Amino acid sequence: MQVDSLINATRQPSGSERTEEAFQRCILLQNSVEETTRKLKTLTKAAEPAPVGNYDQRKMEEERRLIRIREQLLALALELSPPQKQEGGSSSTKEDEEEEDSEEIETSDEDIIEDNDDEEDVDAKFTERIPDSGTDTFMVISTFKGEQEGDLTIQTGEVLMILSKNKDGWWLAQDSKGNKGLVPKTYLKVTILSENENEELDDSKRKSWPSTLSKLLDEGISYRGSHFIQPELSQSKLSFKDLFLDPDTGKVRQRAVRTSLTLTLWSCKSIPTPGVGVQVLSRHIRLCAFDGAKVLSNIHTVRATCNSNNVKTWSFSPRMIGILPSLLDGNCFLRCSSDSPELGILFELGVAYIRNSTGERGDLSCGWAFLKLFDANGAPVPYKTYELLVRGGTPYENDVELDPSITRGGINQSACSFPVHQVVFTNLPPCSVSVLPDTLVGSLSTIPLLVLHRQLLADVLLMDRATMQNADLICSPLLATFPEIVDQSDLLDALRVSHHCFQEIRDTDLLMKRFVSVYMENVYPLLYSADLPLPCWADETVENQRARVIFTSLKNTRTLNPSHTNSGHSPPCQKAFDISQITYDLLSMAQ
C-alpha cells in the first residue's frame, strides 16, 4: 500500500522539494523491503504459531512479490534521483546517463557478442530483461560461493537466466532449479543460442516446468524413505507411537492404517519431449501421498523406459526378479495414515536432462496426475485400472494445460491424443506390510527387507534397552546405516539379491542373526568403500561405476559363490572411520 501510494503521488505535478521528499520515501521503502526479505528467508514452518497449509509454496510466492516490489522501487528511484554534477558544474541529463551506461555495457561485452542494428538500448542501473532471447542467458565462467544472505552460489559451466541488472555489478539471476539470488557479473559470460535452439528452449518451457518433487528431495531427508522408516515417538516422547511388540509371538505388532494398497505403473502416453538440443538422461515418475496442499509421505522414484522410435510413450517393468534394479520396479506399495478427505496419490512425470550447447543439467516436470483415494462419501475407490489425464504446471495448480496446442482453436481430439498415465490398483495383503511404518511408499520388491529392519528395531528399542527412558547410543551398525541404503537403491538391491540366504528360515531369532550377518558381509563394507563413488542421480558414468564395484564385491563373497574362501582376495579400501557408522542415536533418528 505504501509503494502504491508513493507511485500515485509521483504522478501528480510537484516541485523539486516534493520530488526530493518522494525520493527519500522511496529509499526508506527499499530498505524496508530488504529487511522484510531477510526476515522471510529466516522463517521456518516450525516457527508458525498455527498450522499453515502449502507453506513452501506460499513462502515462494511471497518472495516473488517482494522481488517485484523491489524492482518497482528501483525503477522509481531512478526516475526520482537528483541529477548528477559533471566536471565544470553542468548537470547531466537522464538521457546522457542512459547513453553513457549503454556504451559502457556494449564496450564490456563487445568481445563476446556482435552488435545488432536492432538491439535495444540497455539501462545499466536497472534493466528488467524478458527471458526470450539468447542474450538473457549467461554461462558461469568461474565458481562463486555466496558470501552473505541473498547471494546465489553458482558453479562453473552452469547456465543462468538474468532477471535484472544493477549498476553496482551484482545481477539478480535464476538457476535451472529455480533458485534466485545476486551474482557478480564478472563471473558470467553471454551464451548465444542458435535460432533453432531458441525455438527449442521456448518450446520446452511451454511444455515443462521445474520439478516440484525433485526440489523437495534436494532440500534434505524430510521427504526420503530413510526418514519415514524411523520409529515415531509418542506425544510424551517417552514411548513409541507406531512400534510395538506382540507379547505372544515376540514379533512386531501389526497395525492397520486408513490406506494400504499396491499399484502398478503401466504406461504413460503422449508425453511431450524436450527439444533436440536437450539430451534426456532419465525419464521417471515420482509418486507420494498428497492431499492437494502438502506432501504426506516420502517421495518414491521409478525410472521409465521408452523405445527410441516412440519417446512419447513410457513403460515400466511390471515385475522385478533376480538382480534387476528395483529402480525400474513398476510395482509399488503405499501406506498412509492421514485422515484427510482429499487424500490421494500424486504422480509427477519428470526428466533429467543436459543441454548440449551449454552443459546445463537439471530436472524438469513433464506434467503431473492425481488420483483421489476416497470418494465424496469417504468410501475407498475401487481397485481397478485407471487412466489419469496428465496436467501441466505444478501440483498446486489445476488449470494449466500440459500442451495448449492440443485444444487450441477448438479442434476436437480423440482421448488417446491427450497425455495420460495408466496405473493399476490392487489390494495389499495385510500381513505383508502391516508391520511397516504407518506412512511409507516404496518398491514392492523391498518389503521383505523393510520388514526385517522393522523387527530388528523393535527388538533393540523395546527389548534390549535397560529402560524405556534410556537414550544412550546403541551399538548396532545395521540400524545406524540401513537408512542410508534405503536412499541408495543399488545398495538395497545388493541386499535384496542376498535375501535368498535367509528367506527359508522360520525361527525368528535365527532369522534376525542371519539377516545381520548377511548385511554386514555384503552391504556394510560397500557403504564405506573408498572405491564406491557417491551416488549422482541420472549420471550414467557414476551409475555404471557403482554397479561394477557392487558386482565385484558381491562376487567375492560367499553369497554368490559358496565355494569361495576369504583367502582369495584382499578386503576393499575403506573410508576413514567415524563413530556414527556403528552407533544408533535414538534421539536424532526417531521422528
Side-chain angles (χ1 to χ4, degrees):
M1 291 174 63
Q2 294 182 62
V3 173
D4 291 340
S5 174
L6 177 59
I7 293 176
N8 291 334
T10 58
R11 300 294 179 260
Q12 305 297 327
S14 60
S16 59
E17 293 183 0
R18 292 287 300 276
T19 301
E20 177 65 22
E21 180 183 349
F23 179 73
Q24 294 301 328
R25 286 178 58 193
C26 183
I27 297 301
L28 290 175
L29 284 174
Q30 282 181 302
N31 294 335
S32 178
V33 168
E34 295 298 332
E35 179 64 23
T36 304
T37 302
R38 283 193 292 269
K39 290 181 179 179
L40 175 66
K41 291 182 180 297
T42 61
L43 290 180
T44 61
K45 188 173 183 179
E48 295 293 335
V52 177
N54 198 10
Y55 180 85
D56 293 334
Q57 182 72 12
R58 293 178 64 179
K59 184 176 179 180
M60 188 182 304
E61 291 173 354
E62 186 68 13
E63 184 176 356
R64 293 196 195 103
R65 191 173 71 90
L66 287 170
I67 290 175
R68 287 195 298 269
I69 292 176
R70 181 172 59 185
E71 292 172 350
Q72 285 181 299
L73 291 171
L74 281 170
L76 186 60
L78 289 174
E79 182 180 338
L80 297 174
S81 59
Q84 300 293 324
K85 295 291 183 180
Q86 294 182 340
E87 294 181 6
S90 61
S91 61
S92 61
T93 64
K94 182 179 178 182
E95 290 76 16
D96 292 335
E97 291 178 0
E98 291 179 347
E99 182 177 354
E100 291 173 3
D101 293 334
S102 179
E103 291 174 358
E104 180 184 347
I105 288 183
E106 291 174 359
T107 300
S108 63
D109 290 342
E110 63 182 358
D111 58 333
I112 303 176
I113 58 175
E114 296 180 359
D115 295 334
N116 293 324
D117 293 336
D118 58 348
E119 183 177 359
E120 298 180 357
D121 293 337
V122 180
D123 185 347
K125 289 188 176 179
F126 173 74
T127 304
E128 180 175 350
R129 308 280 298 194
I130 301 175
D132 59 359
S133 65
T135 56
D136 297 311
T137 306
F138 284 71
M139 179 181 289
V140 180
I141 59 176
S142 181
T143 297
F144 168 74
K145 185 176 181 180
E147 299 174 351
Q148 54 185 307
E149 193 172 359
D151 293 349
L152 177 64
T153 298
I154 52 179
Q155 303 292 331
T156 302
E158 191 174 0
V159 176
L160 305 178
M161 193 67 70
I162 303 302
L163 305 179
S164 65
K165 300 179 181 179
N166 299 327
K167 185 179 179 181
D168 60 4
W170 288 85
W171 293 356
L172 180 63
Q174 177 176 336
D175 62 18
S176 60
K177 296 181 179 180
N179 301 317
K180 296 179 182 179
L182 295 174
V183 298
K185 70 176 184 180
T186 53
Y187 284 66
L188 310 175
K189 74 174 182 179
V190 176
T191 298
I192 303 178
L193 300 180
S194 67
E195 183 177 351
N196 289 337
E197 287 175 325
N198 277 324
E199 293 176 357
E200 293 158 9
L201 181 60
D202 291 340
D203 185 61
S204 64
K205 284 180 180 178
R206 288 194 297 267
K207 298 180 182 179
S208 58
W209 297 262
S211 172
T212 300
L213 298 187
S214 175
K215 185 176 181 180
L216 291 178
L217 286 174
D218 291 340
E219 290 178 353
I221 66 169
S222 298
Y223 296 98
R224 295 184 179 271
S226 57
H227 176 71
F228 280 83
I229 66 169
Q230 299 294 354
E232 185 177 357
L233 292 173
S234 64
Q235 188 174 4
S236 67
K237 307 299 182 182
L238 298 176
S239 61
F240 296 103
K241 179 181 178 181
D242 60 349
L243 186 65
F244 303 94
L245 277 176
D246 187 325
D248 297 328
T249 63
K251 296 182 178 180
V252 179
R253 184 189 302 173
Q254 299 181 10
R255 287 176 56 84
V257 295
R258 186 186 183 205
T259 303
S260 184
L261 53 82
T262 62
L263 56 149
T264 300
L265 306 179
W266 199 255
S267 66
C268 301
K269 303 175 182 178
S270 303
I271 306 303
T273 60
V276 294
V278 172
Q279 177 186 351
V280 175
L281 304 177
S282 171
R283 293 177 174 85
H284 48 266
I285 280 187
R286 302 191 194 275
L287 61 146
C288 60
F290 188 66
D291 66 356
K294 58 181 180 295
V295 173
L296 303 173
S297 70
N298 62 299
I299 299 170
H300 179 62
T301 303
V302 180
R303 182 167 288 173
T305 57
C306 68
N307 190 303
S308 59
N309 297 325
N310 186 12
V311 295
K312 291 188 176 183
T313 298
W314 302 2
S315 59
F316 305 88
S317 299
R319 182 182 298 274
M320 301 307 301
I321 58 175
I323 61 174
L324 293 177
S326 58
L327 184 61
L328 302 175
D329 191 359
N331 283 329
C332 307
F333 71 89
L334 179 142
R335 277 172 61 86
C336 187
S337 59
S338 172
D339 57 0
S340 170
E342 302 299 321
L343 177 63
I345 303 179
L346 171 63
F347 304 91
E348 185 185 63
L349 288 64
V351 295
Y353 71 89
I354 181 172
R355 190 170 295 281
N356 297 332
S357 59
T358 63
E360 172 196 3
R361 288 175 177 262
D363 280 89
L364 292 174
S365 168
C366 297
W368 59 276
F370 179 71
L371 177 61
K372 284 187 63 174
L373 296 178
F374 297 88
D375 60 22
N377 298 321
V381 297
Y383 298 118
K384 64 176 186 178
T385 300
Y386 292 89
E387 281 199 350
L388 308 176
L389 182 65
V390 179
R391 302 178 181 274
T394 70
Y396 307 107
E397 304 169 301
N398 293 315
D399 55 351
V400 179
E401 295 180 6
L402 182 64
D403 188 356
S405 63
I406 294 179
T407 56
R408 188 178 297 131
I411 301 175
N412 293 324
Q413 299 280 342
S414 62
C416 62
S417 299
F418 291 89
V420 295
H421 167 49
Q422 190 178 50
V423 58
V424 182
F425 275 15
T426 55
N427 193 11
L428 189 62
C431 60
S432 61
V433 295
S434 55
V435 299
L436 294 182
D438 291 353
T439 299
L440 189 66
V441 184
S443 167
L444 208 61
S445 63
T446 63
I447 288 181
L449 303 178
L450 297 174
V451 170
L452 289 171
H453 170 258
R454 197 71 174 174
Q455 181 64 51
L456 184 62
L457 268 176
D459 290 344
V460 172
L461 299 182
L462 302 179
M463 294 182 61
D464 296 347
R465 284 193 300 159
T467 66
M468 289 297 98
Q469 288 73 42
N470 187 298
D472 292 343
L473 294 178
I474 299 171
C475 182
S476 175
L478 191 151
L479 291 186
T481 59
F482 190 84
E484 293 187 54
I485 77 162
V486 170
D487 293 337
Q488 302 181 42
S489 62
D490 49 2
L491 290 181
L492 197 60
D493 290 334
L495 183 60
R496 182 170 57 89
V497 171
S498 310
H499 179 237
H500 67 84
C501 295
F502 47 82
Q503 60 183 357
E504 300 299 330
I505 302 176
R506 295 290 177 261
D507 182 83
T508 302
D509 293 337
L510 182 61
L511 176 63
M512 296 313 301
K513 290 179 180 178
R514 184 57 181 157
F515 172 56
V516 173
S517 173
V518 170
Y519 180 88
M520 296 301 296
E521 182 181 2
N522 292 274
V523 180
Y524 185 81
L526 278 169
L527 190 59
Y528 299 107
S529 170
D531 299 326
L532 188 71
L534 294 175
C536 182
W537 172 246
D539 189 319
E540 185 177 4
T541 302
V542 172
E543 290 178 353
N544 290 339
Q545 186 177 353
R546 286 175 63 90
R548 286 193 296 269
V549 173
I550 292 172
F551 178 78
T552 301
S553 177
L554 292 179
K555 187 178 180 180
N556 291 331
T557 62
R558 299 174 184 175
T559 303
L560 297 183
N561 187 3
S563 62
H564 178 77
T565 60
N566 289 332
S567 60
H569 71 281
S570 58
C573 180
Q574 297 292 300
K575 297 178 183 178
F577 174 76
D578 187 274
I579 192 65
S580 62
Q581 299 175 12
I582 62 172
T583 54
Y584 181 81
D585 187 353
L586 174 61
L587 295 181
S588 64
M589 292 291 191
Q591 302 180 44

